[in-house]
Amino acid sequence: METAMDKDKMENIDLDAPAPTPAPAVESLSESGLGMDSAAPLAGSEPGSTLPLPAKESNGIPTPPKNGTAGNGFIPLVTVVGFHHARGPEVETWFGAPEGVDPAVDNEWPLLPFMALSDGAHVSTEDFSYFTLLRPAHGDVPSTSLFGISCTRQMDASALLNRPADVTRSTVQKAVVVIADSPQFFGMLRERLGVVTKAWFAQREFTDTEILKRFQESLQEEKERGVGQAEEDREEYLGMSLRELVREFKAQTLVLFKCCLLQPKMLFFGSRCERLCMMQFSLISLIPGLIRNLQDCADPELDAYERHLTKPTSLKTSDRSSLLSYMGLPLQIFGKGSLFGPYTPLQQLDILADYGTKSYIVGSTNSLLLQQKDRYSDILINLDNTTINITSSSLRSALALSVADRRWIDFITQSVNDTWDEANPGRPKTMGYVGSEEFIRLQFEEYLLSLISAVKCHNYLQHHANNPKAMLPQVEGDPAHDFGIDWIEAWSRSENYRIWDRYTDSHLFDIVEPKHPCAGGLTIEDVQRRMMEQVKEYKLDERFATGKEVLGRNLQAGREKASTAFNKLYADIEARREAQRKKYDEQRREAERNGTALPSPGFTAPDLNGAKQTVQSVGSKAGAYIGSWGTWMGEKRKTGWGRSPSTSAAQRKEKEKENAHAPALPIRSLGGDEKKRPEPIKTDARDRDRPNTMESYEESLFDAEHPTSSPPKNLDAVKRKSVPPPPSSQPERSPRQSVSISNSKPQSSPRAASRFHEEIDEDGPVAAPVPGVAAEEQRVWGEESGKVEKMTERERRKRSSAVAEAVVEATKTPISP
């Protein structure tokens, strides 16, 4: 980072330049980015007023005033939480508190027992829980956040030396809890707490609490001596395994890191409480200096960090702390409206749903929250199956990684995978720097510094877009695109961005180069690396190797089975042939003894001549059958399709002679003007009820003689038509005479004439003529119309009888002539 500017010049920067554009209550640095009046008032102060400064300040990052009974801050407390079979979790005793004082009551901690005994802790022998507590203001002591760590163990009740009367269950479950004012040394405290709790349970006598009392006294003595208060102490990250985080989530690790900066509602779920909490601590520890500045994380109403924050007045690039402070780190993601709860019980869900809670990072071991993930989370991280579920669509688009981001996180993931040691996951197997915890942490620190420098450069380019003199020749394009424009726009709306932008200089890109650590477009190496990572992730090489081995075994087994089946089939064929040969030999010897003809062998060649004759015979029969059908169709074409051959020639001639003497009847024209209408025929009630038919039948009555014709639709109508009418003054008429017949040449009409026409209304519907049949009927009846006038009464009766016989033949129902 010091390569951009000369180290000697940067050691002591002159900050005497005046600030040209003072911001409200805070003086900005000059356009060079390096000048500021050291006497700037605090944010939010009135002119001429003063606010109490923090007891200690380091490069603009505040250290909250000490608020404990001792001079060095809050005195650690130790308490025991037990599980009662009737009352549930409850606080049993306190160590480090004044006699007769219950800190849980004084500080309003009703959920402390539920935080100490996590859901599902009974399934393991030992488990740890991490949680936050709000210490309300008392007098001059402001409200702040406290941090608790508990070690839960259980043992058989029968193993107790003195079993109390209220112990009714088979197991006894208790938790030893330590409450401190900072979580930065929880790694070491966790090891000590586990040893003390195990020793206390080994006594098998819970009334003996001397070991717990001495443990609290040691913690208080270290706090008074200031042990571990030096900033250069790096043991604050003990127990936070970044290697496991990168190993499990791979490229999604960067997604989680950038998601924290957007301050959404993040919900972690896991069945193991300790792993659940440490994953959250590991994630927020990637923001440099945040572990030391969590004084506002226990309640959304706390904002002491911003109230005591000042703008840095000096920069020493050789000092890492000075550089981080000048760049605006740590980014305070737990300020006003935010909450951090590594373990959050179900009893605390009301604060998550509160209107004032805008963002949080919480963890839970209860699966009931999975059913309400849409209500309580924007992003759900399931540690049991290593999945990330983003329920917010806008958040999903903002968290899409760019090409440079994927290249950068793939490099870190590969470094961890190449140095992974199953026996000791927290340390590289090469014992080197690459892939270690410190390596990962410094890589994220470099990424974050480049990010905020690129954002400042992006803001500067947008502000001076119309000023050619303000362009930056050393910067190619907009470096913020490599970090994702959608993410930068979303981050600019967050609360931590507002604080950072307000208390940092606008020219930070002059200190740190505004460039992504892995800037550049997509290359073939990126594609190859991604493919290799996917092969490793899905273990395709192992699956292919296993599949190849299984396929080879199956092919070998199939080959053996096929060979066995073929050999068995061949053996069966040979056995059958041998049996037939023996049978033939016996028949032949028997025939030789009896003097009969020799039998034919079992295996003979096919008779080709016989097969050929069979084929010829079948062909001749098929030809004869088709020829008979052709002859029948020819006869039908000659005689007409509506008549049988028996009624074609002789009967037609006889009927023509009979019709020659038939008298003419008055008719109604089919196509022209209406002539004299015949008087209606008197009929009985059945005839009056008979429905009117169409003007002409669609087919001839003689069609009934055809074997494929269907019976008439109305047999009663046919019967009534054949009944002779009662005597009257008019000449007797047959059913055929009740039909309107033309006595002259048929007139042209749009409606085709047919042999039968019933008496119908003029407005009645007319049935369409059947093609072919109507033309044949018109021709036949046209020839007979000239002869019908010459028919005598006897001939007409005879003709009516013929018609009735035809109808009876068709319907198989007798009709009187």
Side-chain angles (χ1 to χ4, degrees):
M1 298 178 183
E2 298 178 5
T3 58
M5 301 183 67
D6 186 63
K7 181 177 179 180
D8 296 332
K9 294 181 180 180
M10 294 296 296
E11 286 291 338
N12 297 302
I13 299 176
D14 186 10
L15 302 175
D16 295 333
T21 311
V26 178
E27 294 187 7
S28 303
L29 294 179
S30 65
E31 283 296 325
S32 64
L34 303 175
M36 177 180 177
D37 192 348
S38 60
L42 291 176
S45 61
E46 297 292 333
S49 64
T50 59
L51 291 178
L53 295 176
K56 179 182 178 183
E57 180 180 321
S58 174
N59 299 303
I61 300 179
T63 301
K66 306 306 177 182
N67 49 15
T69 56
N72 291 330
F74 178 79
I75 295 178
L77 298 175
V78 176
T79 184
V80 176
V81 176
F83 185 86
H84 193 271
H85 69 281
R87 297 185 296 269
E90 60 182 3
V91 177
E92 296 182 352
T93 182
W94 286 93
F95 301 95
E99 189 71 23
V101 175
D102 188 351
V105 176
D106 294 346
N107 297 291
E108 300 178 357
W109 296 337
L111 300 181
L112 174 61
F114 300 96
M115 295 178 177
L117 287 175
S118 62
D119 295 333
H122 60 279
V123 300
S124 58
T125 305
E126 182 184 57
D127 199 3
F128 290 84
S129 174
Y130 300 78
F131 51 91
T132 58
L133 295 169
L134 171 64
R135 185 185 184 187
H138 294 284
D140 296 336
V141 180
S143 58
T144 186
S145 300
L146 299 179
F147 303 87
I149 175 175
S150 69
C151 178
T152 305
R153 295 185 68 91
Q154 57 184 351
M155 64 179 299
D156 293 336
S158 59
L160 295 175
L161 298 180
N162 296 315
R163 181 171 180 173
D166 57 351
V167 177
T168 59
R169 293 194 173 190
S170 59
T171 58
V172 178
Q173 186 180 30
K174 293 183 182 295
V176 179
V177 185
V178 176
I179 300 176
D181 60 350
S182 176
Q184 64 187 81
F185 300 108
F186 270 11
M188 294 183 296
L189 185 59
R190 184 255 184 211
E191 301 299 328
R192 297 172 61 184
L193 178 61
V195 173
V196 170
T197 305
K198 185 177 181 180
W200 186 49
F201 269 75
Q203 296 179 161
R204 298 189 296 168
E205 179 59 59
F206 292 128
T207 57
D208 185 3
T209 58
E210 183 66 21
I211 188 174
L212 301 180
K213 184 179 179 180
R214 291 179 177 272
F215 175 54
Q216 190 277 330
E217 292 174 354
S218 66
L219 294 177
Q220 180 177 353
E221 182 183 359
E222 292 175 357
K223 183 70 174 180
E224 293 173 350
R225 290 189 290 109
V227 176
Q229 298 298 318
E231 289 190 7
E232 61 270 16
D233 196 344
R234 305 297 296 175
E235 296 299 326
E236 58 183 300
Y237 301 123
L238 181 64
M240 306 177 190
S241 180
L242 292 178
R243 285 175 53 84
E244 294 184 12
L245 180 65
V246 175
R247 173 80 172 182
E248 292 184 9
F249 289 97
K250 301 177 176 62
Q252 300 298 322
T253 306
L254 183 57
V255 173
L256 296 178
F257 175 73
K258 299 178 75 172
C259 184
C260 289
L261 300 180
L262 299 182
Q263 293 182 263
K265 295 181 179 181
M266 300 183 65
L267 174 61
F268 284 78
F269 171 79
S271 56
R272 291 182 52 200
C273 186
E274 182 182 12
R275 181 170 177 265
L276 173 73
C277 299
M278 295 313 298
M279 280 294 180
Q280 299 174 64
F281 274 111
S282 299
L283 183 62
I284 66 174
S285 69
L286 293 175
I287 302 177
L290 184 59
I291 293 292
R292 297 176 180 268
N293 294 273
L294 293 177
Q295 59 268 26
D296 298 335
C297 69
D299 191 88
E301 299 298 329
L302 299 179
D303 61 343
Y305 178 84
E306 183 180 4
R307 287 189 289 106
H308 296 96
L309 184 62
T310 59
K311 202 169 187 178
T313 59
S314 61
L315 171 63
K316 189 176 183 180
T317 56
S318 60
D319 186 0
R320 175 176 173 272
S321 299
S322 177
L323 177 63
L324 295 180
S325 174
Y326 191 81
M327 297 297 292
L329 298 180
L331 298 175
Q332 187 53 264
I333 61 176
F334 300 115
K336 183 76 171 178
S338 300
L339 176 68
F340 178 49
Y343 174 71
T344 303
L346 294 180
Q347 291 79 5
Q348 204 175 1
L349 291 181
D350 56 344
I351 194 174
L352 301 183
D354 189 74
Y355 178 77
T357 307
K358 305 300 182 181
S359 66
Y360 49 74
I361 298 178
V362 296
S364 176
T365 58
N366 198 311
S367 60
L368 293 177
L369 281 181
L370 297 179
Q371 303 174 6
Q372 302 182 17
K373 58 183 179 181
D374 296 336
R375 178 182 179 185
Y376 290 105
S377 67
D378 295 326
I379 176 173
L380 173 65
I381 301 94
N382 194 326
L383 300 180
D384 289 347
N385 51 21
T386 318
T387 58
I388 297 177
N389 184 14
I390 304 176
T391 57
S392 174
S393 58
S394 58
L395 182 63
R396 187 183 301 108
S397 60
L399 293 178
L401 298 181
S402 63
V403 176
D405 285 343
R406 293 302 297 263
R407 185 185 300 116
W408 180 80
I409 192 61
D410 286 345
F411 164 72
I412 297 179
T413 303
Q414 185 176 359
S415 301
V416 173
N417 292 336
D418 293 343
T419 59
W420 186 255
D421 187 5
E422 293 292 345
N424 189 3
R427 179 181 298 176
K429 62 181 180 181
T430 58
M431 299 297 178
Y433 171 72
V434 178
S436 63
E437 295 279 329
E438 191 68 17
F439 169 79
I440 298 173
R441 203 174 302 281
L442 291 181
Q443 290 295 323
F444 273 90
E445 180 179 304
E446 179 188 5
Y447 178 89
L448 188 57
L449 291 175
S450 301
L451 170 63
I452 59 181
S453 177
V455 171
K456 285 290 186 179
C457 182
H458 172 75
N459 296 341
Y460 178 84
L461 293 177
Q462 284 189 335
H463 184 70
H464 299 85
N466 300 324
N467 187 4
K469 297 181 179 180
M471 293 296 100
L472 303 175
Q474 71 276 14
V475 178
E476 297 181 2
D478 191 348
H481 285 82
D482 289 332
F483 296 93
I485 294 297
D486 292 340
W487 183 88
I488 292 177
E489 292 179 355
W491 184 46
S492 63
R493 297 188 295 267
S494 65
E495 188 68 14
N496 71 90
Y497 175 88
R498 181 190 62 80
I499 299 175
W500 167 79
D501 189 55
R502 181 177 182 181
Y503 292 97
T504 53
D505 185 69
S506 60
H507 285 64
L508 293 182
F509 52 86
D510 290 335
I511 308 300
V512 176
E513 184 181 7
K515 183 180 180 181
H516 196 286
C518 294
L522 185 64
T523 61
I524 188 63
E525 288 79 7
D526 299 331
V527 178
Q528 293 177 352
R529 181 169 55 254
R530 287 302 304 160
M531 293 180 63
M532 294 177 60
E533 288 295 329
Q534 290 179 358
V535 169
K536 294 180 180 179
E537 179 179 357
Y538 295 106
K539 301 180 180 180
L540 297 180
D541 49 351
E542 300 178 4
R543 296 181 181 180
F544 287 155
T546 305
K548 184 177 180 181
E549 182 181 357
V550 172
L551 181 60
R553 290 199 302 266
N554 293 338
L555 289 177
Q556 182 64 23
R559 189 181 298 110
E560 294 177 357
K561 292 181 179 179
S563 177
T564 302
F566 180 78
N567 294 336
K568 183 179 180 181
L569 177 62
Y570 184 77
D572 293 343
I573 293 175
E574 290 296 327
R576 183 175 178 81
R577 292 180 61 183
E578 184 66 20
Q580 290 184 356
R581 187 183 62 80
K582 292 181 179 179
K583 182 178 180 180
Y584 174 73
D585 292 342
E586 293 177 359
Q587 292 178 355
R588 183 174 57 79
R589 287 193 296 269
E590 185 68 20
E592 290 177 354
R593 282 196 303 268
N594 299 333
T596 58
L598 296 177
S600 60
F603 297 93
T604 57
D607 187 2
L608 298 180
N609 294 330
K612 190 179 298 182
Q613 292 176 1
T614 302
V615 172
Q616 292 176 357
S617 176
V618 171
S620 61
K621 291 181 180 180
Y625 181 74
I626 296 175
S628 64
W629 272 99
T631 304
W632 179 81
M633 293 174 64
E635 292 178 356
K636 284 294 179 181
R637 278 197 299 270
K638 293 178 181 179
T639 60
W641 291 99
R643 302 171 181 81
S644 61
S646 60
T647 61
S648 58
Q651 293 182 5
R652 283 203 304 273
K653 291 181 179 180
E654 183 179 356
K655 291 179 180 179
E656 289 176 1
K657 291 180 181 180
E658 293 176 354
N659 295 336
H661 304 286
L665 298 176
I667 63 172
R668 183 181 63 179
S669 176
L670 297 177
D673 297 336
E674 185 175 358
K675 295 183 180 181
K676 183 179 180 181
R677 296 172 59 91
E679 295 181 3
I681 302 174
K682 296 180 180 180
T683 58
D684 55 4
R686 292 181 301 173
D687 292 337
R688 288 195 300 270
D689 296 336
R690 183 170 65 88
N692 294 333
T693 61
M694 305 299 290
E695 185 178 4
S696 63
Y697 287 100
E698 293 184 357
E699 59 184 7
S700 174
L701 287 175
F702 291 100
D703 292 342
E705 297 178 4
H706 197 274
T708 60
S709 62
S710 60
K713 299 181 181 178
N714 196 341
L715 297 179
D716 295 337
V718 178
K719 293 179 182 180
R720 289 195 299 269
K721 196 178 253 315
S722 62
V723 176
S728 64
S729 60
Q730 295 181 354
E732 192 174 3
R733 298 178 183 177
S734 65
R736 187 177 298 276
Q737 290 173 321
S738 65
V739 181
S740 181
I741 303 176
S742 176
N743 58 353
S744 61
K745 187 176 181 179
Q747 301 178 6
S748 62
S749 172
R751 290 179 288 184
S754 61
R755 279 181 280 180
F756 296 93
H757 300 279
E758 294 187 61
E759 294 289 338
I760 61 173
D761 296 335
E762 293 182 357
D763 298 335
V766 179
V770 179
V773 177
E776 180 65 19
E777 291 175 350
Q778 183 177 5
R779 182 185 64 80
V780 173
W781 289 101
E783 295 175 354
E784 294 178 351
S785 60
K787 303 177 183 180
V788 69
E789 296 179 356
K790 302 179 182 180
M791 294 178 61
T792 63
E793 183 67 22
R794 180 173 174 274
E795 290 174 346
R796 284 196 297 272
R797 289 182 178 276
K798 185 177 180 179
R799 184 163 184 154
S800 299
S801 300
V803 174
E805 291 175 0
V807 173
V808 170
E809 182 66 17
T811 63
K812 300 302 181 180
T813 304
I815 300 177
S816 60

